[in-house]
């Protein structure tokens, strides 16, 4: 404990680090260096133990569970911990699954840290939506099938109406967009019904759970069968739902890449 304290600078700092989708080999070099330099790490539930193991000996590791549908550490408490540790001169790393600025509440944390006068940096990570489709051997954009991509959350905060799925479906159809839906499993039935107002029932869909990990599983189906296929597959959070014609190649192939283990397929 004494040696660790002696290595702390008088003015602490905080770095929001994206740990990527889970596979330790998908960490960026910058993320790895930040983890190894940290004296305090505040770690989300979706960050694997293999990644946490890169922390320096003597670093203080605090698990601050943040997972949809589960009991979570209050955001205000996490922000307070970061500010307190930084003011004590610690080199704080807030280690998040995926990318801190894609549904990771990184923007809120940066605002609170800067308001408290704390030096803050951000290290990007590979977001789960990108890793998920890559594991199936398909792109998010394609000159013929998808002219763009939309990352959208399927989980609205209390009191918020959330995404206008009807408007999004109409835009996706007209502009040929791929939809990547985070935290949408619990509301898949409602999302399906709303998207069907603007997208054909035959629109290809993939659902990928635990993207990039040995426990990854997925299904391919159509928008019209999404809720039924999900129920039959048993897939749960954390999963990403990908809607769009880019998935048609996977569904038509009949076989899936070897890099995506324990696969499922639904009609």
């Amino acid at each position: 404990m004494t040696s660790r304290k002696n290595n702390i600078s008088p003015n602490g700092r905080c770095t929001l680090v994206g740990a990527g989708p889970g596979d330790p080999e998908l960490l960026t070099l910058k993320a790895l260096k930040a983890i190894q330099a940290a004296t305090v790490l505040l770690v989300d539930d979706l960050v694997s133990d293999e990644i946490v193991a890169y922390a320096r000996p003597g670093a203080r590791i605090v698990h601050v569970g943040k997972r949809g549908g589960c009991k979570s550490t209050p955001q205000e408490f996490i922000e307070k911990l970061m500010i307190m540790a930084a003011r004590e001169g610690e080199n704080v790393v807030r280690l998040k699954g995926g990318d801190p600025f894609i549904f990771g509440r990184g923007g809120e944390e940066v605002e609170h840290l800067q308001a408290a006068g704390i030096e803050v940096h951000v290290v990007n990570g590979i977001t789960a939506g990108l890793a998920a489709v890559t594991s199936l051997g398909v792109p998010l954009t394609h000159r013929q099938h998808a002219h763009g991509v939309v990352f959208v959350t399927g989980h609205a905060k209390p009191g918020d109406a959330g995404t206008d799925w009807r408007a999004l479906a109409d835009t996706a159809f007209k502009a040929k967009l791929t939809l990547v839906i985070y935290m949408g499993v619990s509301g898949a039935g409602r999302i399906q019904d709303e998207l069907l107002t603007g997208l054909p029932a035959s629109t290809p869909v993939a659902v990928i759970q635990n993207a990039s990990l040995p426990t990854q599983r997925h299904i391919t189906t159509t928008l019209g069968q999404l809720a039924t296929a999900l129920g039959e597959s048993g897939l749960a959070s954390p999963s990403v739902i990908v809607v769009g014609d880019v998935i048609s190649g996977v569904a038509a192939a009949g076989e899936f890449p070897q890099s995506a283990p324990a696969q499922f397929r639904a009609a």
Side-chain angles (χ1 to χ4, degrees), residues 43-194:
V43 183
D44 275 355
D45 272 353
L46 295 179
V47 178
S48 68
D49 291 339
E50 291 80 5
I51 290 175
V52 177
Y54 286 122
R56 63 193 287 182
R60 181 155 53 99
I61 298 170
V62 183
H63 292 276
V64 288
K66 298 291 288 184
R67 182 179 297 199
C70 302
K71 185 177 180 180
S72 298
T73 305
Q75 183 66 24
E76 296 79 7
F77 182 70
I78 295 173
E79 291 163 0
K80 184 177 180 179
L81 284 178
M82 286 192 288
I83 292 170
M84 289 176 58
R87 284 178 173 169
E88 291 173 356
E90 302 276 8
N91 183 358
V92 182
V93 161
R94 175 79 170 93
L95 195 54
K96 297 170 172 287
D99 184 276
F101 278 177
I102 298 183
F103 307 120
R105 303 188 74 167
E108 299 172 39
E109 293 178 354
V110 167
E111 291 170 0
H112 281 86
L113 288 163
Q114 289 179 338
I118 304 299
E119 180 186 357
V120 56
H121 301 270
V122 178
V123 178
N124 294 114
I126 296 176
T127 186
L130 177 57
V133 294
T134 299
S135 73
L136 302 185
V138 297
L140 284 174
T141 62
H142 190 287
R143 288 200 299 172
Q144 292 180 332
H145 304 301
H147 296 165
V149 58
V150 176
F151 294 101
V152 60
T153 177
H155 177 74
K157 68 179 182 179
D160 191 325
T163 302
D164 186 340
W165 296 105
R166 291 174 179 249
L168 184 58
D170 183 63
T171 301
F173 180 74
K174 292 177 179 177
K176 297 181 71 171
L177 304 177
T178 303
L179 302 181
V180 180
I181 305 169
Y182 292 67
M183 298 169 284
V185 170
S186 62
R190 177 180 60 83
I191 293 171
Q192 170 187 310
D193 291 343
E194 296 290 314

